[in-house]
Amino acid sequence: MIRIDKFLSQMQVATRSESKKLIKNKRITKNGVTVTDGGEKCDPDIDAICLDGVPIAYQEYHYVMLHKPTGCVTATEDRYDKTVMDFLPEKLRRGLSPVGRLDKDTEGLLLITDDGALNHQLLAPGKHVPKTYYARIDGIVTSADVVKFQSGLDIGEKKRTAPAILEILHAGETDSISEIKVTITEGKYHQVKRMFQSVGKKVVYLKRLSMGSLTLDETLAPGNWRALTKEEITNLKDEKA
Ligand code: URA
């Protein structure tokens, strides 16, 4: 059982003080009866709590997929730069944080949630789920690079990188751009860029396509977001790292 005002803020319907107003204005009902006290308890699994007669669906956590555009930082706040949170409505932002990081100049799939257990499950050291990126590379990516990525690369850390799957989509010619897909299972700082640097090449465009079972919804333009479907949430939770 939780307090109705707490339930309303947990559901991101209103802040604690906005909830008071909604209750004062008789806009909240519990099982059809107008709620007059925010301290009244409810069981969200059993009681029908409505705002203006519309049921508020009980969801303990929130899960958002953002198509991160370039030019913003993966943080909940920043003094100088726009953050990924600025693309979400204010009501939704409270308590949410991004799962992992994309560089300011990287775009693509970013999961944002307040489910700390899932965040940990997806990112705990040694348990990273596979993440696939599309990239454009300045230079000619070769099958020798594919083998090197598979064997693990020295990117200046104590340990070599874990095996990564590099797929050449378009090999490029002298002085031109190659297109690749790469799947990594770690989350080291600037990892994809540093992996290409270690084979003498430069990433000029990077986009994350997937994280475990979660795939970027290509109908989302950069800067747009949507809630995850129930199926996407269940699949992510079932993810075997
Ligand atoms: N690797 C990078 O170099 N940058 C990212 O944003 C993500 C992976």
Side-chain angles (χ1 to χ4, degrees):
M1 298 283 269
I2 62 168
R3 291 170 58 106
I4 289 184
D5 52 8
K6 183 150 188 233
F7 169 75
L8 293 175
S9 69
Q10 222 178 61
M11 291 304 95
Q12 319 226 317
V13 168
T15 61
R16 225 34 195 270
S17 63
E18 287 164 352
S19 300
K20 271 200 191 123
K21 252 194 225 157
L22 292 176
I23 291 166
K24 200 167 152 223
N25 294 335
K26 303 190 175 17
R27 294 176 61 190
I28 304 293
T29 54
K30 174 178 150 183
N31 302 324
V33 179
T34 302
V35 174
T36 53
D37 176 7
E40 187 180 327
K41 298 275 175 58
C42 68
D43 180 340
D45 286 328
I46 296 169
D47 297 316
I49 309 296
C50 295
L51 165 62
D52 296 333
V54 178
I56 299 161
Y58 182 57
Q59 197 188 347
E60 195 178 4
Y61 296 118
H62 301 84
Y63 305 86
V64 166
M65 170 192 299
L66 172 70
H67 186 164
K68 178 194 176 294
T70 56
C72 61
V73 294
T74 310
T76 48
E77 47 184 40
D78 193 272
R79 267 218 225 169
Y80 306 105
D81 285 308
K82 205 171 164 90
T83 78
V84 291
M85 303 310 279
D86 292 331
F87 294 91
L88 306 184
E90 207 166 328
K91 245 188 221 162
L92 189 62
R93 285 183 215 163
R94 258 173 298 126
L96 266 64
S97 45
V99 178
R101 246 186 53 117
L102 291 177
D103 297 335
K104 188 172 169 182
D105 60 356
T106 301
E107 62 179 50
L109 174 67
L110 188 69
L111 171 64
I112 302 176
T113 183
D114 48 2
D115 183 344
L118 180 67
N119 194 324
H120 179 76
Q121 184 198 325
L122 296 174
L123 294 187
K127 279 182 65 178
H128 270 259
V129 294
K131 281 158 293 187
T132 299
Y133 296 84
Y134 163 83
R136 287 199 279 270
I137 311 295
D138 188 359
I140 307 168
V141 179
T142 64
S143 48
D145 294 330
V146 173
V147 174
K148 287 180 191 162
F149 272 62
Q150 179 60 44
S151 317
L153 292 165
D154 179 358
I155 58 167
E157 305 237 334
K158 266 193 209 145
K159 281 172 79 178
R160 297 173 85 80
T161 56
I165 300 166
L166 175 59
E167 184 190 343
I168 302 170
L169 302 175
H170 170 73
E173 283 145 32
T174 317
D175 293 335
S176 78
I177 300 291
S178 301
E179 287 178 84
I180 61 96
K181 263 190 199 176
V182 63
T183 302
I184 60 174
T185 55
E186 299 164 300
K188 297 193 161 80
Y189 183 62
H190 292 336
Q191 180 154 348
V192 174
K193 291 173 187 163
R194 288 162 70 199
M195 288 172 89
F196 277 98
Q197 200 177 14
S198 85
V199 295
K201 279 147 209 163
K202 190 170 188 295
V203 173
V204 291
Y205 172 81
L206 188 59
K207 176 180 181 179
R208 182 151 68 194
L209 303 175
S210 65
M211 181 174 195
S213 57
L214 189 65
T215 301
L216 177 65
D217 181 340
E218 290 287 355
T219 66
L220 291 176
N224 286 0
W225 65 275
R226 70 160 170 81
L228 261 59
T229 63
K230 281 213 171 91
E231 196 185 354
E232 285 170 332
I233 297 167
T234 311
N235 289 342
L236 270 182
K237 288 184 178 173
D238 285 349
E239 203 79 59
K240 297 266 182 310

